Amino acid sequence: MDAKTCLKKLEYVGVLAFATVDAQGNPQVRNISAVHYEPDALYFFTARGKDFYRELLEDGRVQILGYTRYKEMIRLSAQAKPVSQEEQQKWIDTIFREQPYLENVYPGNTREIGIVFEIRDAQIEYFHLGVHPIFRETYVIGNGREKEKGYRITDSCIGCGTCVSVCPQRCVTTGDAGTPYHISPEHCLHCGNCSEHCPVSAIERV
Amino acid sequence: MDAKTCLKKLEYVGVLAFATVDAQGNPQVRNISAVHYEPDALYFFTARGKDFYRELLEDGRVQILGYTRYKEMIRLSAQAKPVSQEEQQKWIDTIFREQPYLENVYPGNTREIGIVFEIRDAQIEYFHLGVHPIFRETYVIGNGREKEKGYRITDSCIGCGTCVSVCPQRCVTTGDAGTPYHISPEHCLHCGNCSEHCPVSAIERV
């Protein structure tokens, strides 16, 4: 998998969940399908009267989530920015051309209440529950920041094998080098079972 | 539409988006299908090692979003709470029985790293873009708090009719009583076009 394929898969999913935070710190999430996809960016339409618009303008942090028919979860973490005034009309018209149902929602000139935001720099998390062992990876588009997550076995490991036996995905390997044991990050659920069971607290969150 | 039907529709959707806020105030959203539905409550499974678990335990505010094949968006705003220690096993086993794929993810005893949260009190927003005019309503389960949103025309209305002509959904009515005009909240997009165009600023956000 890679970043471009993830964006293409999101395009096929069509309807994505966009999560933001409101001024009171409440989580907010809604479905958006008014999206135009470039190979390494996306553009989406909303209206200037919506709470969503205020949250984007005042804070801008957004997570965008799509779930494919193959049980793949694809998530972008990014900062959304309005496209420049000069380019608004071009992107609004592009999105309306690609998503004809929008004409039913905003007929005629009423699309002028719209505004288009862009996502150029993002971290992408790919998480596939439909394979065994499960599979995850992270990618970046533009100047997206890659943030590590999960669990790591430290040098305190005594090689007792408890973590190997309790891992639901069997993703702990003893390795040739003896201790410390190793967690394969691409197969890890982040469930924490290894960490809870380690008798010497050698497994820490990244 | 009503609250119970919304929950039943979410059950048919199967895979929902759960949005929370992390300790740094970032929006977080992921898909969850490990859910058990009661007529007026829902129970969902996660693992104690996940960020999601921490966000639920430390903050608990959650928005749960489902999108039906009929273009209906159904959204619950709630406070999630872990079910009591005595009831954990019962709900974990219920969810695993109803969602057999979970056995692939957490085989054997490894489900013990799981924890079940419940949603009993929630506001539900129903939003249907697949009809014309669009349709929205809000409902409540348990002691959920109903929060009004949208736009209202105040007594400053001069009856010029601008809002009627710019409303994408034609949901402003002049009424028998003359001014102020009236916005039908069940058909309003919350796009703000009426408010932007009102020459006397008579239309305010609720």
Side-chain angles (χ1 to χ4, degrees):
Chain A
M1 200 57 50
D2 55 62
K4 281 191 166 61
T5 308
C6 283
L7 282 186
K8 187 48 93 176
K9 280 175 176 279
L10 290 178
E11 185 171 358
Y12 290 148
V13 170
V15 183
L16 309 183
F18 281 63
T20 51
V21 176
D22 74 12
Q24 288 72 47
N26 295 301
Q28 300 288 334
V29 59
R30 74 289 291 165
N31 291 118
I32 305 283
S33 52
V35 183
H36 166 76
Y37 296 84
E38 293 282 323
D40 53 2
L42 55 83
Y43 296 81
F44 62 95
F45 173 93
T46 188
R48 289 189 298 274
K50 289 181 180 277
D51 290 346
F52 183 36
Y53 166 71
R54 287 168 192 242
E55 292 150 18
L56 291 170
L57 214 62
E58 288 166 14
D59 185 295
R61 286 176 292 180
V62 63
Q63 269 198 350
I64 303 169
L65 180 71
Y67 190 76
T68 74
R69 65 175 72 186
Y70 308 107
K71 281 182 181 288
E72 300 157 302
M73 193 181 96
I74 299 171
R75 179 163 69 170
L76 271 73
S77 305
Q79 186 81 20
K81 292 179 191 142
V83 304
S84 70
Q85 202 55 47
E86 300 75 48
E87 292 213 309
Q88 284 290 339
Q89 197 61 49
K90 173 183 108 182
W91 292 116
I92 290 176
D93 292 344
T94 300
I95 292 169
F96 271 66
R97 197 167 50 243
E98 292 177 353
Q99 313 282 350
Y101 82 94
L102 284 170
E103 183 68 31
N104 263 336
V105 183
Y106 294 100
N109 289 336
T110 63
R111 70 174 69 172
E112 288 169 9
I113 192 62
I115 178 166
V116 172
F117 287 82
E118 67 180 353
I119 304 282
R120 297 205 145 275
D121 306 309
Q123 178 182 26
I124 302 179
E125 291 163 87
Y126 175 88
F127 184 51
H128 194 179
L129 269 183
V131 287
H132 196 78
I134 68 100
F135 180 76
R136 66 162 82 235
E137 256 179 0
T138 59
Y139 321 103
V140 158
I141 54 173
N143 295 311
R145 202 167 57 90
E146 203 151 359
K147 195 183 152 197
E148 265 194 283
K149 270 169 68 174
Y151 288 86
R152 182 173 46 204
I153 304 180
T154 66
D155 286 341
S156 313
C157 172
I158 55 170
C160 70
T162 304
C163 54
V164 176
S165 68
V166 300
C167 173
Q169 295 294 319
R170 300 284 182 196
C171 75
V172 186
T173 51
T174 56
D176 298 331
T179 62
Y181 286 5
H182 175 72
I183 297 171
S184 301
E186 71 274 22
H187 300 308
C188 175
L189 281 169
H190 302 172
C191 75
N193 212 25
C194 56
S195 180
E196 273 202 12
H197 282 86
C198 176
V200 295
S201 300
I203 307 183
E204 63 179 23
R205 288 166 65 87
V206 175
Chain B
M1 201 54 53
D2 56 60
K4 280 190 168 58
T5 309
C6 284
L7 282 187
K8 187 50 89 176
K9 281 176 177 279
L10 289 179
E11 185 172 356
Y12 290 148
V13 170
V15 182
L16 309 182
F18 281 61
T20 52
V21 176
D22 74 11
Q24 288 73 49
N26 296 302
Q28 299 289 334
V29 60
R30 75 288 292 163
N31 291 118
I32 305 282
S33 53
V35 183
H36 166 76
Y37 296 85
E38 293 283 322
D40 53 3
L42 55 82
Y43 297 81
F44 61 95
F45 174 92
T46 189
R48 290 190 298 275
K50 287 180 180 281
D51 290 347
F52 184 34
Y53 166 71
R54 287 168 192 242
E55 291 151 18
L56 292 170
L57 214 64
E58 288 167 15
D59 185 296
R61 286 177 292 181
V62 63
Q63 269 200 350
I64 303 170
L65 179 71
Y67 190 77
T68 75
R69 65 176 72 185
Y70 308 107
K71 280 184 183 287
E72 299 158 302
M73 193 180 95
I74 299 171
R75 180 164 70 168
L76 272 72
S77 305
Q79 187 80 22
K81 292 178 192 141
V83 304
S84 69
Q85 203 53 47
E86 300 75 47
E87 293 212 310
Q88 284 290 339
Q89 196 62 49
K90 174 183 108 183
W91 291 116
I92 289 176
D93 292 344
T94 299
I95 292 170
F96 271 66
R97 197 167 50 243
E98 292 177 354
Q99 312 283 350
Y101 82 94
L102 284 171
E103 183 69 30
N104 263 336
V105 183
Y106 294 100
N109 289 335
T110 62
R111 71 173 71 173
E112 287 168 10
I113 193 63
I115 178 166
V116 172
F117 285 82
E118 66 180 354
I119 305 281
R120 296 206 145 274
D121 307 309
Q123 179 181 24
I124 302 179
E125 290 163 87
Y126 175 88
F127 184 51
H128 195 177
L129 269 183
V131 288
H132 196 76
I134 67 99
F135 180 75
R136 65 162 83 232
E137 257 180 359
T138 59
Y139 321 101
V140 157
I141 55 172
N143 295 310
R145 202 167 57 91
E146 203 151 359
K147 195 181 151 198
E148 264 193 284
K149 272 168 65 174
Y151 288 86
R152 182 173 46 205
I153 304 180
T154 68
D155 286 342
S156 314
C157 172
I158 54 170
C160 69
T162 304
C163 52
V164 175
S165 69
V166 300
C167 174
Q169 295 294 319
R170 298 286 182 196
C171 74
V172 186
T173 51
T174 56
D176 298 332
T179 63
Y181 286 4
H182 175 73
I183 297 172
S184 303
E186 70 274 23
H187 300 307
C188 173
L189 282 170
H190 302 171
C191 76
N193 212 24
C194 57
S195 180
E196 273 203 10
H197 283 86
C198 176
V200 295
S201 299
I203 307 183
E204 62 181 23
R205 286 166 65 88
V206 176

